[in-house]
């Protein structure tokens, strides 16, 4: 008799629990809101975010940040002497680091010794840029030197100069440029060469470096990119 | 509780739990996805603002609170000009000092500090009476002093959508349970209908109505159960019929046995009384004493035969290979007065039988044949194959037995000619014993008779390997 009573009680309890469970969504609604207010949630990963370690590197983070910044400033004519001196400094620092071939460095020095036909400069988002252009008398067209650097460190992130010489062994200069930038601590570099170009890309730093001959110019550069350029991978 | 109610509960209650748990999980997943999507979108927006502010703040000369405030005001003005005036954010300095804020008063300072303390890896939520907010904080890097950016995003739409899903789920839950409950009740009734029919039939059976049967055509285990139940009822009916017949047979036996005793005892009492008076002639006295002696012997013979019959009905007769010639020899030797009338016919065979009982059976049949045939005709003991089966029997050329009497002859104490049979010393148990012996050998007594031509009585026999 007692067992039967217990069975009835048990059955009534199970029935009650099952019927109460119908209100589970309401309970979840109230409990879930309270839980969110108290503890919050983990922030989901945002695709394309720079790793914490890379954010600590001033240059890498500045380049990365610059990727999202609005570029509104224009190059405007500047003081030729000041631009010449600035570009001479940058040329020498690159040459000292071994990032410029001798022929290119000599050509750059020669250009800077010529009277400027036109100069321009700009400053935006922590980076400054300058261009020094001369008119060649013996040949049609003009020659120039252009560079962009981080204002507070002076590190050159882009450098181009007019040079017809067939520079070989571009990967050697790219390696020297990487050391010059101080980003060799990134360990996941992918590197490659093409006919007139050497490149390297790091996923951790979302950073691309390149050294190439383009037309009659020699180019060095560092750019923040989420992925390496497609034509690099095709090669 | 009725079985149908149990069945209904067994269907509806788990459905309650499943619907509710499944729905809650689904709402939770949808809400989580919505919050994560909002957090991703808002994170991307916050990062865009953070990079812009970092660039702007890095370019400013000096880092006093006023300078920062001025720059941020300018920044917000530019954003408004660019049509991005919806951002609500605050910039904090060391120790949570507010350097700039365009947050509304609904987000308390305490909540803002909590969001800063949670760090940039967590997302905090604030629910107010009017709206729900997502709070994201992140440090501004590359500056001369540590600053934190706190963004507040209105995500009331996500919460409203969750609440809508909860309401919708509750409605669907109610509809589904109503439908499922109705279906469960109908199914339970359908499933328990055969059981109710079985209950009705078993009640009728228990009240003695053995003819009722459960007619179930559900095509499942219950139909099989109904068939088994009907078989049980059939078997019960047969057993009750057999019991009734056995009871009637026993009543007839007792009545016949009582009559047999009474008839004999009445006669014996009469003769005994005659002797007691002592005035009779020596011849009469001798006749009376002789009758008493003869009837006493018959009663003694009757008791022996009754014992034999009881023993046979209890079973346990041992069968063994027995030569037919030996059996016939025993029968002939036990009846020296009839030896001249007995003829045997048939090949020598070895049978599987109990020799003594088989001899008793044949001897009784021979005695019956001799008693029936007053013309002193030949009595044949024969053995032959009939329709491939070995048969063993006794034939006489007597007056035969009417067909309507044949079956009753097996009943105890039944006699065709009662007075003459008793005079011959018969007690009416001969054929009953023969039938019992035949059953003990796994067969029955067969009788064929034609009035005026004689009677043939036989049993089938099992042939055995010859004895060594």
């Amino acid at each position: 008799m007692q067992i039967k009573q217990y069975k009835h009680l048990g059955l009534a309890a199970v029935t009650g629990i099952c019927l109460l469970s119908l209100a589970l969504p309401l309970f979840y609604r109230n409990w879930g809101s309270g839980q969110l207010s108290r503890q919050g949630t983990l922030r989901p990963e945002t695709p394309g975010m720079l790793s914490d370690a890379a954010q600590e590197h001033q240059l890498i983070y500045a380049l990365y940040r610059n990727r999202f910044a609005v570029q509104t400033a224009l190059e405007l004519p500047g003081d030729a002497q000041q631009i010449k001196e600035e570009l001479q400094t940058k040329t020498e620092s690159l040459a000292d680091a071994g990032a410029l071939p001798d022929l290119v460095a000599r050509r750059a020095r020669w250009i800077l010794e010529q009277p400027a036909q036109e100069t321009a400069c700009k400053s935006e988002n922590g980076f400054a840029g300058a261009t020094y252009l001369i008119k060649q008398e013996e040949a049609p067209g003009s020659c120039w030197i252009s560079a962009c650097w981080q204002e507070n460190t002076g590190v050159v992130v882009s450098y181009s100069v007019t040079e017809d010489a067939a520079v070989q062994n571009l990967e050697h200069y790219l390696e020297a440029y990487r050391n010059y930038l101080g980003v060799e601590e990134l360990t996941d570099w992918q590197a490659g060469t093409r006919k007139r170009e050497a490149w390297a890309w790091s996923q951790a730093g979302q950073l691309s470096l390149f050294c190439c001959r383009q037309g009659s110019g020699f180019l060095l550069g560092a750019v923040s990119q989420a992925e390496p350029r497609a034509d690099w991978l095709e090669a | 509780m009725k079985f149908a109610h149990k069945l209904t509960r067994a269907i509806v209650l788990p459905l309650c739990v499943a619907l509710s748990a499944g729905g809650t999980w689904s709402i939770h997943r949808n809400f989580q996805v919505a919050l994560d999507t909002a957090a991703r979108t808002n994170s991307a927006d916050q990062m865009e603002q953070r990079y812009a502010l970092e660039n702007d703040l890095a370019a400013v000369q000096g880092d006093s609170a006023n300078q920062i405030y001025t720059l941020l005001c300018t920044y917000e003005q530019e954003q408004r000009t660019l049509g991005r005036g919806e951002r609500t954010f605050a910039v904090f300095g060391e120790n949570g000092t507010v350097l700039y804020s365009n947050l509304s008063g609904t987000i308390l300072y305490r909540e803002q500090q909590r969001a800063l303390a949670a760090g940039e890896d967590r997302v905090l939520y604030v629910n107010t009476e009017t709206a729900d907010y997502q709070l994201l904080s992140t440090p501004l890097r590359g500056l001369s002093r540590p600053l934190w950016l706190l963004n507040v995003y209105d995500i009331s739409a996500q919460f409203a959508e969750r609440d809508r899903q909860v309401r919708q789920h509750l409605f669907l839950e109610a509809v589904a349970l109503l439908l499922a409950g109705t279906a469960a009740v109908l199914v339970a009734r359908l499933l328990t209908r055969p059981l109710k029919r079985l209950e009705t039939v078993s009640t009728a059976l228990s009240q003695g109505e053995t003819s009722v049967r459960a007619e179930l055509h559900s095509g499942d285990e219950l139909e099989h159960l109904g068939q088994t139940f009907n078989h049980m009822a059939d078997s019960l009916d047969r057993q009750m019929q057999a019991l009734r017949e056995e009871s009637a047979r026993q009543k007839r036996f007792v009545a016949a046995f009582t009559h047999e005793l009474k008839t004999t005892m009445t006669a014996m009492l009469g003769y005994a009384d005659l002797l007691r008076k002592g005035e009779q002639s020596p011849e009469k006295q001798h006749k009376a004493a002789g009758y008493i002696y003869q009837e006493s012997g018959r009663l003694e013979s009757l008791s022996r035969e009754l014992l034999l019959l009881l023993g046979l009905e209890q079973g346990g007769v041992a069968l063994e290979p027995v030569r037919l010639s030996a059996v016939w020899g025993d029968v002939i030797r036990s009846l020296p007065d009839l030896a001249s009338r007995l003829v045997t016919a048939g090949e020598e065979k070895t049978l599987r039988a109990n020799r003594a009982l088989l001899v008793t059976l044949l001897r009784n049949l021979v005695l019956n044949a001799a008693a029936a045939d007053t013309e002193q005709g030949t009595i044949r003991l024969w053995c032959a194959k009939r329709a491939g089966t070995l048969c063993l029997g006794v034939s006489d050329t007597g007056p035969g037995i009417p067909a309507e009497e044949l079956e009753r002859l097996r009943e105890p104490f039944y006699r065709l000619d009662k007075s003459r049979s008793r005079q011959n010393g018969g007690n009416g148990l001969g054929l009953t014993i023969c039938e019992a012996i035949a059953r003990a050998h796994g067969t029955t007594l067969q009788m064929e008779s034609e009035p005026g031509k004689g009677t043939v009585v036989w049993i089938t026999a099992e042939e055995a390997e010859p004895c060594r």
Side-chain angles (χ1 to χ4, degrees):
Chain A
M1 194 66 185
Q2 212 171 17
I3 291 173
K4 204 171 178 179
Q5 274 183 343
Y6 284 141
K7 278 172 80 174
H8 279 305
L9 280 175
L11 194 62
V14 169
T15 307
I17 290 168
C18 290
L19 291 175
L20 275 177
S21 75
L22 290 174
L24 194 61
L26 283 176
F27 170 76
Y28 162 75
R29 179 179 165 275
N30 294 331
W31 176 83
S33 296
Q35 196 72 1
L36 276 177
S37 297
R38 280 189 296 277
Q39 296 186 351
T41 56
L42 276 177
R43 190 195 284 238
E45 290 278 329
T46 309
M49 276 289 288
L50 197 59
S51 66
D52 285 346
Q55 285 188 36
E56 296 299 326
H57 194 286
Q58 207 182 5
L59 176 66
I60 294 172
Y61 184 58
L63 285 168
Y64 173 77
R65 199 172 61 200
N66 199 37
R67 199 165 99 195
F68 302 96
V70 183
Q71 313 279 344
T72 54
L74 298 172
E75 280 200 330
L76 298 171
D79 180 5
Q81 185 58 32
Q82 194 181 347
I83 289 172
K84 177 180 171 181
E85 286 171 6
E86 197 72 64
L87 289 174
Q88 276 174 338
T89 309
K90 305 307 175 200
T91 303
E92 293 311 319
S93 62
L94 286 173
D96 290 346
L100 287 182
D102 286 345
L103 280 173
V104 173
R106 275 205 294 272
R107 178 72 170 168
R109 288 182 196 115
W110 179 81
I111 291 171
L112 289 171
E113 284 167 4
Q114 307 306 309
Q117 186 196 7
E118 192 180 330
T119 58
C121 65
K122 73 167 186 176
S123 171
E124 190 176 32
N125 299 327
F127 289 91
T131 303
Y132 189 91
L133 189 139
I134 61 166
K135 182 75 178 173
Q136 275 186 296
E137 290 174 0
E138 67 273 20
S142 52
C143 297
W144 75 90
I145 297 178
S146 179
C148 181
W149 60 91
Q150 195 180 17
E151 284 181 299
N152 57 355
T153 60
V155 175
V156 179
V157 295
S158 163
Y159 186 88
S160 67
V161 60
T162 312
E163 170 54 58
D164 290 333
V167 179
Q168 300 297 322
N169 202 10
L170 291 173
E171 61 268 32
H172 166 76
Y173 300 108
L174 186 73
E175 179 68 27
Y177 183 54
R178 183 162 59 186
N179 294 336
Y180 163 80
L181 292 174
V183 293
E184 67 276 11
E185 63 199 52
L186 296 173
T187 54
D188 63 336
W189 288 104
Q190 285 181 54
T193 54
R194 298 200 301 166
K195 192 177 176 184
R196 294 157 64 99
E197 185 175 25
W199 61 270
W201 178 76
S202 161
Q203 186 175 23
Q206 296 191 24
L207 185 64
S208 290
L209 307 180
F210 56 89
C211 173
C212 67
R213 289 190 292 119
Q214 203 172 61
S216 59
F218 175 86
L219 274 77
L220 268 178
V223 183
S224 180
Q225 282 181 327
E227 289 176 351
R229 262 173 32 204
D231 56 340
W232 290 349
L233 296 177
E234 282 168 12
Chain B
M1 183 190 287
K2 284 187 172 179
F3 182 66
H5 292 169
K6 287 182 182 173
L7 204 59
T8 306
R9 282 194 190 199
I11 294 169
V12 172
L13 294 185
L15 191 68
C16 283
V17 177
L19 270 177
S20 148
T24 305
W25 183 82
S26 172
I27 292 168
H28 170 67
R29 287 295 306 157
N30 289 343
F31 187 48
Q32 258 192 342
V33 169
L35 290 184
D36 280 356
T37 307
R40 277 200 189 89
T41 309
N42 295 337
S43 280
D45 180 74
Q46 184 188 45
M47 289 301 131
E48 188 185 322
Q49 187 183 15
R50 170 183 146 180
Y51 302 143
L53 286 178
E54 281 172 350
N55 283 332
D56 289 353
L57 289 167
V60 76
Q61 297 298 316
D63 55 6
S64 71
N66 281 339
Q67 286 170 321
I68 292 172
Y69 178 76
T70 308
L71 185 138
L72 289 169
C73 286
T74 311
Y75 167 80
E76 197 189 1
Q77 193 61 45
E78 284 174 5
Q79 293 297 307
R80 285 185 193 282
T81 310
L82 293 169
R84 293 178 174 176
E86 298 303 318
R87 277 198 184 120
T88 49
F89 68 100
V91 175
F92 296 84
E94 302 88 337
N95 305 319
T97 318
V98 181
L99 299 176
Y100 175 84
S101 174
N102 65 0
L103 303 181
S104 70
T106 52
I107 311 295
L108 301 176
Y109 178 71
R110 188 181 67 239
E111 301 290 353
Q112 299 171 22
Q113 290 304 306
R114 215 160 60 81
L116 294 184
E120 65 176 333
D121 293 334
R122 295 198 74 81
V123 182
L124 285 197
Y125 296 86
V126 173
N127 308 110
T128 66
E129 286 184 3
T130 52
D132 304 287
Y133 299 103
Q134 198 171 52
L135 275 60
L136 300 172
S137 67
T138 185
L140 297 174
R141 295 175 191 273
L143 305 176
S144 56
R145 59 184 286 191
L147 299 180
W148 278 79
L149 170 66
L150 172 68
N151 287 83
V152 176
Y153 298 95
D154 188 337
I155 53 164
S156 302
Q158 282 79 356
F159 277 82
E161 172 61 17
R162 182 199 63 179
D163 293 349
R164 191 196 63 77
Q165 286 184 10
V166 168
R167 285 195 302 275
Q168 178 181 294
H169 175 77
L170 288 175
F171 173 73
L172 290 177
E173 206 173 52
V175 171
L177 279 179
L178 194 67
L179 291 176
T182 310
V185 168
L186 291 176
V187 168
R189 282 191 182 169
L190 201 67
L191 288 177
T192 53
R193 193 178 294 164
L195 294 177
K196 281 187 179 168
R197 174 70 188 147
L198 278 178
E199 185 190 7
T200 309
V201 172
S202 61
T203 306
L205 270 179
S206 69
Q207 290 168 352
E209 285 183 49
T210 55
S211 60
V212 291
R213 294 292 181 267
E215 298 298 332
L216 303 180
H217 304 290
S218 54
D220 53 17
E221 290 89 342
L222 288 173
E223 184 178 333
H224 183 67
L225 177 66
Q227 287 168 354
T228 311
F229 188 87
N230 288 344
H231 291 156
M232 185 191 75
D234 289 343
S235 170
L236 198 64
D237 200 17
R238 280 196 299 274
Q239 285 178 22
M240 285 181 70
Q241 184 63 30
L243 280 175
R244 277 195 291 269
E245 286 173 2
E246 178 63 19
S247 173
R249 196 178 67 79
Q250 285 185 356
K251 277 181 186 169
R252 284 200 303 274
F253 181 83
V254 169
F257 181 64
T258 309
H259 175 74
E260 192 70 20
L261 277 182
K262 184 175 172 291
T263 308
T264 307
M265 294 305 285
T266 303
M268 284 172 72
L269 275 172
Y271 280 110
D273 188 48
L274 198 67
L275 286 173
R276 190 167 62 95
K277 287 177 180 168
E279 293 173 355
Q280 308 300 327
S281 62
E283 289 80 21
K284 278 189 178 177
Q285 285 180 9
H286 183 74
K287 186 182 174 185
Y291 187 83
I292 291 170
Y293 176 77
Q294 185 190 339
E295 289 303 299
S296 299
R298 211 169 60 78
L299 284 178
E300 193 268 341
S301 164
L302 178 64
S303 67
R304 265 191 287 112
E305 289 187 350
L306 276 173
L307 280 175
L308 175 63
L309 194 60
L310 285 172
L312 286 170
E313 284 180 351
Q314 283 172 1
V317 174
L319 304 180
E320 57 191 0
V322 177
R323 280 191 294 112
L324 185 59
S325 57
V327 173
W328 280 345
D330 288 349
V331 172
I332 292 166
R333 274 192 296 279
S334 70
L335 298 166
D337 295 343
L338 298 174
S340 58
R341 291 173 64 189
L342 293 174
V343 176
T344 59
E347 293 176 6
E348 170 68 330
K349 296 280 182 192
T350 302
L351 309 175
R352 187 168 171 73
N354 182 299
R355 180 169 167 173
L357 290 178
L358 192 57
V359 168
T360 304
L361 184 147
L362 291 174
R363 188 173 178 277
N364 279 347
L365 292 180
V366 168
L367 283 173
N368 281 353
D373 187 4
T374 52
E375 302 294 323
Q376 303 293 310
T378 304
I379 299 167
R380 287 177 69 239
L381 290 161
W382 56 267
C383 174
K385 282 209 167 180
R386 287 189 175 184
T389 308
L390 190 66
C391 297
L392 180 67
V394 174
S395 306
D396 66 54
T397 54
I401 305 166
E404 63 274 12
E405 300 276 7
L406 275 177
E407 282 307 310
R408 296 201 64 192
L409 280 175
R410 298 163 208 259
E411 291 181 13
F413 305 112
Y414 185 82
R415 297 179 179 87
L416 275 176
D417 183 347
K418 294 171 179 59
S419 58
R420 200 183 65 205
S421 179
R422 194 172 281 119
Q423 282 169 8
N424 290 342
N427 50 33
L429 283 178
L431 277 178
T432 308
I433 289 171
C434 288
E435 179 66 27
I437 292 172
R439 280 207 208 104
H441 283 78
T443 180
T444 55
L445 208 58
Q446 306 289 325
M447 286 189 267
E448 284 177 8
S449 184
E450 200 175 335
K453 289 191 176 176
T455 303
V456 183
V457 185
W458 83 93
I459 59 169
T460 58
E462 186 185 348
E463 201 165 351
E465 288 294 315
C467 306
R468 291 183 179 177

